[in-house]
Amino acid sequence: MKLNLNKIHHIAIICSDYERSKKFYTEILGLEIAREYYRVERDSYKLDLKLNDHYIIELFSFPSPPNRLSFPEAAGLRHLAFEVDNLDLELNKLEKAGVSHEGIRIDELTNKRFTFFFDPDQVPIELYER
């Protein structure tokens, strides 16, 4: 017996500097704020972000979260990937925002172009050309 899953509902990310990460995900990546909460009892923010009107990311802040133990082959989420129409155009925008990337690679299985860059807490983010 298997589960009847419909789609990915959301991805949760814990950041070390809430304002810096909020700016990165909204002003650089262009995600839209769906809701923002401050949870007094946990001294924690929760920011719900959407892309093209689809809820995709919960961005959390907690006081003094531990650093990622190894990079990037730690068990768990390896990276977050976004599909783009024009990789060169999007990389130009990242570079203008001061965000560097690893350089363009070619997927040996699909022959599609992609690259990686990192959020303020070094979470790997992939742009994959459609």
Side-chain angles (χ1 to χ4, degrees):
M1 177 160 99
K2 63 180 180 177
L3 298 177
N4 292 315
L5 304 177
N6 294 325
K7 63 180 182 177
I8 293 175
H9 186 268
H10 70 272
I11 297 161
I13 299 172
I14 298 172
C15 64
S16 63
D17 181 324
Y18 179 72
E19 291 302 327
R20 180 179 69 174
S21 291
K22 177 181 175 181
K23 182 177 180 178
F24 177 83
Y25 281 95
T26 60
E27 295 180 19
I28 294 176
L29 293 188
L31 300 180
E32 298 175 58
I33 297 173
R35 288 171 296 284
E36 183 174 26
Y37 308 94
Y38 179 71
R39 302 173 308 171
V40 175
E41 70 283 357
R42 299 182 85 179
D43 190 20
S44 169
Y45 280 96
K46 178 181 180 283
L47 182 66
D48 295 337
L49 297 167
K50 59 185 181 174
L51 175 65
N52 299 325
D53 233 14
H54 296 285
Y55 174 64
I56 62 165
I57 292 178
E58 289 180 343
L59 183 67
F60 290 94
S61 70
F62 294 105
S64 305
N67 290 327
R68 186 177 171 102
L69 296 177
S70 67
F71 180 81
E73 272 69 32
L77 180 68
R78 182 177 169 106
H79 63 266
L80 178 61
F82 293 99
E83 178 185 280
V84 297
D85 290 326
N86 183 322
L87 186 59
D88 296 315
L89 179 65
E90 302 311 324
L91 292 181
N92 190 8
K93 292 176 187 176
L94 282 177
E95 290 166 1
K96 285 182 180 177
V99 178
S100 60
H101 59 86
E102 292 186 342
I104 296 173
R105 303 186 210 175
I106 305 294
D107 185 318
E108 61 189 42
L109 301 175
T110 65
N111 209 31
K112 302 282 186 172
R113 299 179 334 137
F114 69 98
T115 193
F116 287 94
F117 60 101
F118 303 91
D119 88 345
D121 288 299
Q122 301 304 302
V123 171
I125 299 175
E126 178 181 1
L127 293 183
Y128 195 90
E129 194 168 54
R130 179 163 50 147

